[in-house]
Amino acid sequence: MFSKILVANRGEIAHRIIRACRELGIRSVAIYSEADRDSLHLALADEQVCIGPPVSAKSYLNMEGIIDAARRTGVGAIHPGYGYLAENAAFARACEKAGIVFIGPTPDNLHLAGDKLTAKRIVQEKGVPVIPSSPSGVGSVAEAERIAEEMGYPVMVKASGGGGGRGIRMCQDRDMLLEEFPIARMEARAGFGNDEVYIEKYIVHPRHIEFQILADRHSHVTHLGERECTIQRRYQKLIEESPSPALTPELRGRMGQAAVAAAEAVRYVNAGTVEFLLDGDGNFYFMEINARIQVEHPVTELTTGIDLVKEQIRLASGGELDYSFDGIQRRGWAIECRINAEDPDRNFLPSPGKIESYRPPGGFGVRLDTHLYQGYELPVFYDSLIAKLISYDLTRDGAIRIMRRALQEFRIAPIKTTIPLHLKIMDDSSFQRGDFDTGFIERFVPDEDDDE
Ligand code: ADP
Ligand code: ADP
Ligand code: MG
């Protein structure tokens, strides 16, 4: 086991990882940018290293600086969290070269998972159903038109290297395709430095269902059940839960097997997620592999009792996976609401500023993962996720009631947050029945500006 770990991230996920280290008796090193001098993760960690100026490119994405800090502090491993360098194969390789363990999948895993088209091809060869798509990147509008015509509208234009809901454009018809195709390519080039895009069949009224995977370095792979992540805005998750109200034990069994087959097909190691879309007829399709710990991992932790971050650390240090889904006890229901510093009434405009008043919720069935405190000033430079509120109860109905109560207790002022929106959703009868698809949120927040 490692005696010291550097946490290459900030915000709530830095807290999450530092806490796991503390419980494992591992010393932690926090890194921070000049804009994060007042961040709470510095106080929780055993050591702190300033890594550069506020902009992420020069701090939390500064590979050389981070590896240098890791060397100077003598850590055995780096945990990248999510976002930033978490899925960067070059960074994982640089860690390897420096003799530091990257807590995550192999560089090859990261490389492959970052190329959605190739990943699809490889898992399809193992018999996993995938969303029909062009076999390779599509280079011109004319080619896109031809493929879409054959496939039938609506279609999706997707960036091979995309992530975080960006580089995805839905096209209802030919006119839309002509308009959106160049935009998608531009977005892909600007956002991911790779302008390869492909055309995928649009699955109508789908649910997003994903499976948590754990794999060790000795070819043992298991899944830990599913997460329902259908409540999304602009292809980004807002609310996640486990289990999914849409799965029967039979479907869960088949999807779980497909998820494990997908992970095995790419020789996956450590924690990861296999994402599927599920259509109204019970057909499921592989979408992508997320090669990291995910924002929504707590709902799996609460229903399985397994600490996923500790498992990541244990597996990265060579530990064996000596259990499987059939052997674990799943119990109850967990729901997570992503609290963002955004104004839902103003098209989710970021709402940074000083937290003048702060009252966190608590009590039975409530977990709060956050880096907020009273008096904290939210920097303008980073992601707007400020807290994850998770409720847990024996039943889904109970978990919704606890979530509603906790959201009501939660006060963060004067900045705007997504709390009021979450409250409306908890009160919605379709949500309560578990009857929704990825278009659910449009009823609450019409998309005013589709072009960002
Ligand atoms: P998940 O599938 O775990 O829900 P997301 O795709 O929402 O993950 O992204 C995880 C988090 O990382 C989100 O908070 C997102 O805004 C952030 N994120 C995604 N890509 C990047 C990036 N390149 N740099 C920094 N943060 C990112
Ligand atoms: P990212 O890498 O940004 O997470 P994904 O490929 O996982 O991108 O897609 C994000 C979301 O976009 C999905 O959860 C789903 O809501 C929607 N989506 C993606 N592909 C399709 C599709 N072919 N049909 C319908 N919806 C899709
Ligand atoms: Mg995805």
Side-chain angles (χ1 to χ4, degrees):
M1 190 46 91
F2 313 110
S3 54
K4 208 200 265 189
I5 289 174
L6 182 142
V7 181
N9 217 301
R10 63 180 301 285
E12 69 86 17
I13 194 64
H15 286 212
R16 173 72 191 84
I17 300 162
I18 292 166
R19 284 176 171 144
C21 290
R22 183 61 58 93
E23 289 168 18
L24 289 168
I26 298 171
R27 287 177 64 80
S28 56
V29 179
I31 61 163
Y32 64 100
S33 76
E34 285 160 14
D36 272 340
R37 288 187 188 286
D38 297 325
S39 280
L40 203 52
H41 75 284
L42 306 187
L44 296 189
D46 296 302
E47 293 173 47
Q48 303 77 15
V49 181
C50 183
I51 209 76
V55 286
S56 298
K58 296 193 170 161
S59 49
Y60 298 104
L61 289 168
N62 172 0
M63 297 194 219
E64 272 173 40
I66 292 171
I67 290 189
D68 188 50
R71 278 214 186 92
R72 277 187 286 127
T73 50
V75 302
I78 296 181
H79 196 308
Y82 55 69
Y84 296 126
L85 296 170
E87 290 170 279
N88 189 311
F91 181 67
R93 238 177 236 119
C95 289
E96 221 171 57
K97 228 176 116 197
I100 298 161
V101 174
F102 175 84
I103 300 176
T106 66
D108 285 346
N109 289 163
L110 292 171
H111 187 73
L112 186 62
D115 176 355
K116 294 186 184 186
L117 255 183
T118 308
K120 274 176 76 161
R121 205 189 57 238
I122 291 177
V123 310
Q124 187 177 24
E125 282 164 7
K126 297 287 170 189
V128 177
V130 303
I131 306 175
S133 67
S134 57
S136 52
V138 174
S140 70
V141 184
E143 195 187 345
E145 244 187 288
R146 191 175 49 72
I147 292 167
E149 204 60 52
E150 239 166 64
M151 200 175 262
Y153 288 95
V155 299
M156 285 294 234
V157 182
K158 285 173 93 165
S160 296
R166 283 160 307 158
I168 300 179
R169 317 295 282 199
M170 196 270 262
C171 306
Q172 288 283 7
D173 51 32
R174 179 171 170 270
D175 284 352
M176 239 174 136
L177 180 71
L178 297 183
E179 193 175 314
E180 301 285 2
F181 185 83
I183 300 176
R185 280 193 84 168
M186 234 164 53
E187 244 181 51
R189 192 178 318 129
F192 316 110
N194 165 11
D195 70 354
E196 184 179 79
V197 296
Y198 61 101
I199 309 282
E200 196 168 83
K201 179 86 188 150
Y202 184 78
I203 307 295
V204 184
H205 301 309
R207 297 178 83 115
H208 174 121
I209 312 272
E210 60 184 34
F211 279 73
Q212 176 67 50
I213 292 290
L214 286 180
D216 67 15
R217 296 194 187 152
H218 318 280
S219 305
H220 304 128
V221 184
T222 188
H223 73 86
L224 294 183
E226 80 281 9
R227 291 185 288 260
E228 163 87 57
C229 309
T230 299
I231 310 293
Q232 309 180 348
R233 176 179 171 270
R234 291 192 172 173
Y235 314 123
Q236 276 192 306
K237 300 158 189 165
L238 262 183
I239 299 177
E240 305 96 346
E241 59 184 289
S242 189
S244 161
L247 296 199
T248 59
E250 188 270 334
L251 184 53
R252 176 174 298 114
R254 279 193 292 131
M255 290 182 79
Q257 265 179 15
V260 169
E264 284 173 348
V266 304
R267 298 174 180 277
Y268 199 82
V269 299
N270 211 269
T273 297
V274 179
E275 294 189 335
F276 296 99
L277 288 185
L278 177 68
D279 73 15
D281 299 323
N283 303 304
F284 63 88
Y285 308 89
F286 169 88
M287 196 158 46
E288 64 162 340
I289 296 177
N290 287 329
R292 60 166 184 275
I293 189 79
Q294 280 192 277
V295 172
E296 57 273 23
H297 75 275
V299 295
T300 300
E301 296 185 322
L302 288 172
T303 48
T304 61
I306 293 171
D307 182 318
L308 290 170
V309 175
K310 283 189 197 158
E311 283 299 88
Q312 282 189 297
I313 295 170
R314 191 177 71 81
L315 294 171
S317 76
E320 271 194 56
L321 192 67
D322 49 8
Y323 56 88
S324 70
F325 183 67
D326 296 328
I328 59 172
Q329 300 257 349
R330 268 177 121 208
R331 190 162 181 246
W333 216 286
I335 302 177
E336 173 181 281
C337 287
R338 295 193 189 194
I339 316 288
N340 295 327
E342 293 169 356
D343 186 351
D345 291 332
R346 292 178 63 198
N347 206 23
F348 292 81
L349 196 72
S351 180
K354 188 167 178 182
I355 314 277
E356 305 283 359
S357 154
Y358 180 67
R359 189 182 73 193
F364 187 88
V366 173
R367 168 172 168 182
L368 181 63
D369 281 23
T370 183
H371 53 294
L372 295 190
Y373 59 88
Q374 175 123 9
Y376 177 58
E377 176 131 18
L378 288 173
V380 296
F381 303 96
Y382 312 114
D383 197 65
S384 59
L385 182 78
I386 50 171
K388 306 190 310 203
L389 181 57
I390 308 111
S391 69
Y392 175 79
D393 197 55
L394 290 179
T395 64
R396 184 167 188 271
D397 183 50
I400 292 173
R401 285 165 188 272
I402 290 172
M403 181 59 83
R404 188 200 286 120
R405 186 271 292 167
L407 286 164
Q408 285 166 346
E409 282 180 14
F410 209 171
R411 288 289 149 77
I412 307 173
I415 64 157
K416 297 282 190 243
T417 74
T418 47
I419 291 174
L421 173 64
H422 286 303
L423 268 168
K424 278 189 220 156
I425 296 172
M426 292 305 131
D427 282 338
D428 180 82
S429 60
S430 302
F431 178 78
Q432 289 169 359
R433 284 196 310 275
D435 174 18
F436 44 75
D437 59 52
T438 55
F440 175 85
I441 208 76
E442 273 155 39
R443 279 196 277 138
F444 293 85
V445 276
D447 213 339
E448 292 162 23
D449 166 21
D450 207 32
D451 294 325
E452 314 243 325

